[in-house]
Amino acid sequence: MRAQRITTAHALYPGACDLRDRVLLKPIGYSLERLAVEYPGCEERFEHFVATDPEDETCVIGVVCLYPKPDAQPPEGKLMQMAVDEAWQGRGVGRVLVAELMDRATSALGLRRVYCHARIDACKFYERLGWRYESEIFMEAEIEHRVMAVGAE
């Protein structure tokens, strides 16, 4: 499978939005519109990454977004909106997406730290990728999360 960075003008962007909406947002009563209110201008500021089905490269099977914060000290970014189609979970899609995101974050954008608010059921995934816990459990969108990060402390 292949992961790539896309823009909001890319032909795969609607599929990425659909996957985020279906897997992440609707199950918790959220929407892309609500996300836009809570993070004004986020879609335009996000670095969007998608993974596509190897047999149909028009079919988005995974998505993740990076919200860069280059003015932070140290420069950092927040991994957000990670979603993998249910049929593809457990097959390395998330790992490929995070690798592509991290390459862009560190190489092209010069970010020294990337963090996320990981749902409790996803913490082990990030831990296997070498991310560390930076918080106790907290509630976000009525779901238990922990801050996890990789890079500069």
Side-chain angles (χ1 to χ4, degrees):
M1 88 199 61
R2 186 175 93 124
Q4 62 183 307
R5 185 171 63 94
I6 64 167
T7 67
T8 57
H10 196 281
L12 294 173
Y13 179 72
C17 289
D18 176 65
L19 183 62
R20 288 166 53 200
D21 196 45
R22 185 169 34 91
V23 173
L24 286 179
L25 301 172
K26 280 185 181 172
I28 60 170
Y30 255 68
S31 65
L32 288 171
E33 292 78 19
R34 182 174 172 186
L35 185 70
V37 169
E38 292 183 14
Y39 290 89
C42 66
E43 289 301 309
E44 295 74 27
R45 285 197 59 205
F46 278 158
E47 296 268 338
H48 299 266
F49 301 87
V50 297
T52 53
D53 182 331
E55 295 181 17
D56 180 1
E57 292 197 353
T58 66
C59 180
V60 175
I61 60 171
V63 63
V64 67
C65 299
L66 174 65
Y67 193 77
K69 299 178 181 183
D71 297 331
Q73 290 303 320
E76 65 182 12
K78 183 177 183 184
L79 180 152
M80 300 177 67
Q81 297 290 292
M82 173 86 150
V84 175
D85 185 277
E86 295 89 345
W88 286 88
Q89 291 177 7
R91 296 169 66 182
V93 176
R95 187 172 52 253
V96 169
L97 284 166
V98 172
E100 189 74 18
L101 178 146
M102 290 303 300
D103 182 58
R104 173 83 177 155
T106 58
S107 298
L109 302 177
L111 305 181
R112 294 191 38 226
R113 175 178 176 265
V114 176
Y115 71 97
C116 69
H117 293 182
R119 293 180 183 192
I120 291 300
D121 61 354
C123 286
K124 292 293 181 194
F125 166 77
Y126 292 104
E127 192 174 26
R128 285 190 300 272
L129 296 178
W131 293 48
R132 66 184 175 279
Y133 293 97
E134 288 193 342
S135 78
E136 297 300 320
I137 294 172
F138 63 93
M139 297 299 285
E140 184 173 77
E142 301 180 27
I143 298 171
E144 292 182 329
H145 288 75
R146 289 183 75 174
V147 174
M148 297 193 74
V150 67
E153 291 187 46

